[in-house]
């Protein structure tokens, strides 16, 4: 299920897993040019190969069997599930290498070209070209239709120090692998944001006997998904579990003790 939001047409992808666990994955999709048509030999370039980019490529292939589809992705791999670390903590997978929803080979089997370790530098919508670097070499590619599916970032321009070494980001595979040992060695963990991912992380870390502080700008957790009255029993359960809820609190900076 896809629902649009204001401005950059930010989307939320609702995934229902096999065990009927509902997960919300924030994405960002911008479609440039007109709607896709059934013209022969149409060339579609998609920037970003996370959920949105891959889903777009597969949907285009269904409707346009003769289209040339090219995925540009800056990471060395594609198809990693952003909350794969949570699946690992829940013991639903034994290794993060299992946290992939699709592989490069599966996409190539559907005649979808995947360019990994590719960093897009410039888009020219007048000439319909994309300039990018791949393995240190600058390339240019033309397109008929362009889709930007660059996803979301865990870095905040509003929080000073959010790019610090002790601030864990684990959306990507290597980041998640690095986070495992750091979390294991930690006694306490602070989480900024009490959305679906933050609340789930707080619960899983609390079960690992970590002292968890969950900080949220709003006056209750999961405010995007539930009414305040409905969520009160969940908040109470989290408090009883030992999670320190800091509501109505805005984080402006993150500082590391010397």
């Amino acid at each position: 299920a896809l629902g649009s939001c204001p401005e950059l047409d930010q989307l939320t992808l609702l995934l229902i897993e096999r065990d009927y666990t509902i997960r919300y994955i924030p994405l960002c999709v911008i479609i440039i040019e007109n709607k896709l048509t059934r013209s022969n030999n149409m060339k579609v370039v998609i920037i970003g190969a996370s959920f949105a980019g891959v889903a777009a490529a597969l949907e285009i292939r269904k409707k346009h069997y003769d289209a040339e589809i090219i995925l540009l992705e800056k990471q060395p791999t594609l198809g990693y599930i952003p909350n794969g670390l949570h699946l690992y903590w829940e013991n639903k997978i034994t290794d993060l290498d299992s946290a992939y929803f699709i592989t490069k080979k599966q996409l190539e089997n559907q005649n979808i070209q995947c360019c990994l370790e590719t960093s897009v530098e410039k888009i020219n919508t007048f000439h319909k070209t994309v300039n990018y670097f791949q393995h240190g070499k600058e390339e240019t590619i033309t397109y008929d239709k362009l889709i930007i599916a660059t996803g979301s970032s865990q870095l905040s321009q509003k929080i000073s120090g959010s790019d610090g070494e002790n601030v864990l980001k684990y959306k990507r595979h290597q980041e998640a692998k690095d986070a495992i040992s750091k979390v294991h060695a930690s006694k306490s963990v602070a989480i900024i944001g009490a959305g679906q991912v933050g609340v789930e992380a707080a619960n899983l870390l609390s079960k690992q006997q970590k002292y968890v502080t969950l900080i949220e700008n709003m006056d209750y957790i999961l405010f995007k998904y539930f009414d305040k009255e409905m969520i009160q029993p969940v908040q109470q359960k989290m408090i009883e579990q030992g999670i320190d809820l800091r509501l109505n609190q805005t984080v402006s900076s993150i500082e590391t003790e010397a």
Side-chain angles (χ1 to χ4, degrees):
L2 291 176
S4 59
C5 297
E7 299 179 352
L8 290 182
D9 211 10
Q10 198 159 347
L11 304 179
T12 297
L13 179 61
L14 169 60
L15 302 178
I16 303 181
E17 298 188 343
R18 291 181 180 177
D19 61 352
Y20 301 102
T21 300
I22 297 176
R23 301 183 186 279
Y24 292 88
I25 310 297
L27 305 169
C28 179
V29 177
I30 307 170
I31 300 181
I32 295 180
E33 306 299 332
N34 297 326
K35 292 182 179 179
L36 297 175
T37 61
R38 291 184 174 275
S39 59
N40 292 330
N41 301 319
M42 177 176 61
K43 185 175 183 180
V44 182
V45 173
I46 303 172
I47 302 174
S50 57
F51 278 117
V54 170
L58 293 173
E59 190 64 23
I60 293 166
R61 175 56 69 226
K62 279 185 196 176
K63 297 181 179 180
H64 305 272
Y65 64 91
D66 58 348
E68 182 181 1
I69 305 171
I70 302 168
L71 276 166
L72 304 180
E73 170 58 47
K74 67 179 179 180
Q75 299 300 318
T77 60
L78 58 75
Y80 177 71
I81 300 172
N83 63 343
L85 186 57
H86 290 189
L87 299 177
Y88 176 79
W89 284 337
E90 290 178 279
N91 295 317
K92 290 185 176 180
I93 58 174
T94 57
D95 191 292
L96 287 176
D97 290 337
S98 303
Y100 284 86
F101 66 92
I102 201 165
T103 65
K104 182 172 182 277
K105 182 174 178 57
Q106 287 173 315
L107 289 169
E108 289 174 340
N109 286 343
Q110 296 199 49
N111 199 24
I112 296 172
Q113 183 179 341
C114 304
C115 300
L116 303 180
E117 297 183 273
T118 301
S119 177
V120 173
E121 297 296 315
K122 184 167 56 176
I123 298 170
N124 187 318
T125 56
F126 181 79
H127 295 290
K128 293 188 176 182
T129 60
V130 176
N131 290 63
Y132 63 90
F133 280 94
Q134 186 178 41
H135 307 305
K137 184 180 179 181
E138 185 173 9
E139 304 280 358
T140 301
I141 189 172
T142 60
Y143 65 85
D144 295 309
K145 306 295 176 183
L146 175 66
I147 298 177
I148 300 179
T150 49
S152 59
S153 172
Q154 290 178 292
L155 293 177
S156 173
Q157 301 297 326
K158 297 180 180 179
I159 302 177
S160 173
S162 65
D163 57 348
E165 185 178 337
N166 289 331
V167 180
L168 300 184
K169 281 78 67 175
Y170 55 86
K171 181 180 176 181
R172 299 184 177 91
H173 182 260
Q174 188 57 51
E175 292 173 341
K177 289 182 70 173
D178 294 340
I180 289 176
S181 58
K182 290 184 178 181
V183 170
H184 181 74
S186 301
K187 294 181 179 179
S188 62
V189 180
I191 300 170
I192 302 173
Q196 185 266 332
V197 175
V199 168
E200 186 176 77
N203 177 54
L204 293 171
L205 290 168
S206 176
K207 290 179 179 179
Q208 295 181 42
Q209 309 304 314
K210 308 295 182 185
Y211 180 78
V212 178
T213 301
L214 182 58
I215 307 168
E216 171 56 50
N217 184 49
M218 301 298 288
D219 60 349
Y220 68 101
I221 66 172
L222 299 172
F223 70 93
K224 288 186 179 179
Y225 315 114
F226 299 99
D227 293 332
K228 186 175 182 178
E229 295 75 15
M230 184 181 294
I231 209 66
Q232 294 309 304
V234 178
Q235 286 190 176
Q236 185 58 39
K237 182 68 175 177
M238 294 178 73
I239 293 171
E240 293 173 0
Q241 194 173 321
I243 297 172
D244 182 9
L245 290 181
R246 305 285 184 93
L247 305 175
N248 284 313
Q249 301 293 320
T250 301
V251 176
S252 59
S253 66
I254 301 171
E255 299 177 3
T256 302
E257 293 182 358

